[in-house]
Amino acid sequence: MNLYKLAFNNIRRKKLRSALTALGIIIGAATIVVLLGITAGATSAVQEQTDQYMYDVVIAPASSSGTYLMDSQTVSKVEKMSNLYGLREVTIFSENINGTRVNFEGVNDWRQVKLINGTQGVVINKATADKFGLGIGDKIKAKDQQLTITGISKEEQAIYVYLNQDIAQNVTGNKVSAIYARSHVSPNATADEIENQVDGVSVLTKSEKVAEIQKQTSQALLFIGIIACIALVVGIISVVNTMMMSVMERTRELGVLKAIGFTNWELKGSILFESGLLGFLGAILGVILGIIGIVVFANMLDFTDYILK
């Protein structure tokens, strides 16, 4: 008698119990895959968000200067400071178009703007498109320059136009609203140095914000890891329990097999093969279900840019 064929027959004879055992594995495996996928996506999202704050100082026009933009001379002085590196400039300004205030924002990372149509470059959000009846290929005026609209982003309450940062700087005459930068030395010392050497700017540090985000991320990842471990343990216990019950119910069958010459190791191998087969099939189906779950959650949580990349 083939013990492996016997293992198959045992699974087929107990269809409901085998199915429930496999279901435990499927749920456990799918849960782990989904959690790992969401964790990876959340980590990417948090990393990206953290990168936005991952600067030591942010230089902006001083409130007393009466302007919201720094001119090119001020920008050049900041860029030449030896203690700064990783500089990222942002230009934000507003225009009054037909009695409506329109916000223009320079974009360095287009993943922050959810396009629903068109391409990057000069993107209006849906509120702007609806307000002015504009579409891709139409023109919009910004500081006496006509810009050709290349895309439309999702609905927002405010009326926004997103521009490539270089386009935004070109429109404003190379002026910027803020400069984000990292420092080779203490951020506080760097902030004091910048304010002393560059007129008309104020400097803020963001290191505390970064520490807070990283702490929250670590706690969330720990919680997800604990849930994944619990799901894995439950699946394993389910298989062990089923096989123990199976052995207890088959004492007569195992006794007959041993009486006709099968060794203890052969009988153990048959039982292990049966449990391994249930676990393998359950794991395969669980992984497939988990991948489907990741796609579903990615769309529900608007994480597609992070989870599915």
Side-chain angles (χ1 to χ4, degrees):
M1 180 180 293
N2 188 323
L3 288 176
Y4 300 109
K5 185 177 180 180
L6 179 63
F8 276 115
N9 290 334
N10 284 330
I11 293 176
R12 293 174 57 188
R13 278 188 308 179
K14 305 290 184 181
K15 291 185 177 65
L16 179 59
R17 188 170 65 186
S18 299
L20 292 175
T21 302
L23 182 61
I25 297 295
I26 291 171
I27 293 173
T31 303
I32 292 172
V33 171
V34 170
L35 289 175
L36 289 176
I38 292 176
T39 301
T43 302
S44 297
V46 171
Q47 181 66 45
E48 187 172 299
Q49 294 295 320
T50 304
D51 286 343
Q52 293 185 30
Y53 293 103
M54 195 60 77
Y55 51 80
D56 295 318
V57 294
V58 54
I59 303 110
S63 58
S64 58
S65 64
T67 178
Y68 297 103
L69 295 171
M70 291 180 286
D71 57 32
S72 57
Q73 290 79 15
T74 303
V75 173
S76 177
K77 288 181 182 177
V78 173
E79 291 176 340
K80 289 179 180 176
M81 299 196 71
S82 58
N83 284 338
L84 300 179
Y85 70 100
L87 279 71
R88 181 168 64 90
E89 298 167 349
V90 176
T91 299
I92 300 174
F93 60 95
S94 61
E95 289 280 280
N96 194 317
I97 301 178
N98 298 332
T100 301
R101 188 179 184 84
V102 180
N103 302 298
F104 291 80
E105 180 176 337
V107 178
N108 291 291
D109 184 357
W110 280 96
R111 285 178 297 181
Q112 303 297 317
V113 181
K114 303 299 181 185
L115 288 176
I116 58 176
N117 201 3
T119 59
Q120 304 166 1
V122 179
V123 175
I124 60 175
N125 65 4
K126 198 167 183 306
T128 308
D130 294 340
K131 178 70 178 179
F132 300 106
L134 296 174
I136 296 173
D138 292 335
K139 303 281 188 180
I140 188 167
K141 192 174 182 180
K143 294 190 180 298
D144 299 326
Q145 292 190 33
Q146 294 290 343
L147 304 175
T148 302
I149 298 168
T150 61
I152 299 176
S153 66
K154 68 178 183 179
E155 183 68 67
E156 291 174 308
Q157 288 188 341
I159 295 180
Y160 259 91
V161 179
Y162 300 100
L163 313 173
N164 276 335
Q165 174 58 23
D166 56 346
I167 296 177
Q169 278 190 242
N170 181 54
V171 169
T172 59
N174 206 32
K175 294 181 179 179
V176 302
S177 306
I179 300 174
Y180 299 81
R182 300 184 187 184
S183 173
H184 291 294
V185 296
S186 165
N188 291 330
T190 301
D192 293 339
E193 182 182 354
I194 295 172
E195 289 181 339
N196 289 332
Q197 296 187 12
V198 183
D199 294 332
V201 301
S202 63
V203 184
L204 299 174
T205 61
K206 278 290 185 178
S207 55
E208 292 182 358
K209 183 68 176 178
V210 173
E212 180 184 346
I213 292 175
Q214 290 176 337
K215 181 180 179 182
Q216 292 174 353
T217 303
S218 299
Q219 291 174 340
L221 293 179
L222 176 62
F223 178 71
I224 291 174
I226 291 173
I227 292 181
C229 290
I230 291 174
L232 179 62
V233 170
V234 169
I236 293 174
I237 291 175
S238 174
V239 173
V240 172
N241 180 61
T242 300
M243 297 316 300
M244 288 183 65
M245 292 295 294
S246 177
V247 170
M248 292 175 63
E249 292 175 355
R250 291 158 53 192
T251 52
R252 179 176 297 177
E253 174 187 318
L254 295 175
V256 171
L257 291 173
K258 192 168 183 181
I260 62 178
F262 286 97
T263 65
N264 288 337
W265 282 110
E266 287 175 325
L267 296 177
K268 290 177 182 177
S270 172
I271 295 170
L272 288 175
F273 176 76
E274 185 178 335
S275 60
L277 183 61
L278 281 173
F280 177 75
L281 294 175
I284 294 295
L285 294 174
V287 170
I288 294 173
L289 185 63
I291 293 173
I292 296 173
I294 289 175
V295 175
V296 172
F297 278 105
N299 284 286
M300 289 175 59
L301 301 174
D302 200 18
F303 263 19
T304 52
D305 290 343
Y306 303 103
I307 294 179
L308 302 179
K309 69 181 180 180

